[in-house]
Amino acid sequence: MSRLKQNQIIDNAIQSIASITKSQCSLSEQDLTVLNEALERLQFLKRKKGKTNVQIHNEIAQIVALLVKFFKD
């Protein structure tokens, strides 16, 4: 996947998660913590250059695990 496409996907994910945290006042502190951690990881992933595909996939897997935790709990 090209770096431009990857950045677009990351930007869309950041915007989506940010809109959830801003528009949902009924979120618990735990939910906000999980979503904020996912946002931080996405922003770090976007800033970090020179990562290998394996590192990127591992980071995405951790972000997905956080989002699963949010939706499951």
Side-chain angles (χ1 to χ4, degrees), residues 10-72:
I10 292 171
D11 284 339
N12 289 339
I14 289 170
Q15 290 173 356
S16 298
I17 293 172
S19 70
I20 290 170
T21 59
K22 290 177 185 171
S23 65
Q24 297 295 325
C25 59
S26 63
L27 291 174
S28 69
E29 286 296 318
Q30 182 181 2
D31 288 342
L32 284 174
T33 302
V34 169
L35 289 175
N36 284 331
E37 186 176 344
L39 274 175
E40 288 174 16
R41 287 181 175 273
L42 284 167
Q43 290 166 345
F44 175 77
L45 187 60
K46 185 178 175 190
R47 284 191 314 264
K48 193 68 174 174
K49 294 187 174 154
K51 283 192 163 207
T52 65
N53 282 341
V54 172
Q55 291 170 320
I56 292 170
H57 289 183
N58 288 337
E59 192 67 32
I60 294 294
Q62 292 175 356
I63 293 166
V64 169
L66 287 169
L67 294 176
V68 167
K69 182 178 179 181
F70 168 74
F71 287 111
K72 185 179 175 190

Side-chain angles (χ1 to χ4, degrees), residues 1-12 46:
M1 175 183 314
S2 72
R3 183 75 178 159
L4 178 63
K5 180 74 171 171
Q6 181 179 340
N7 278 339
Q8 289 173 340
I9 292 169
I10 292 171
D11 284 339
N12 289 339
K46 185 178 175 190

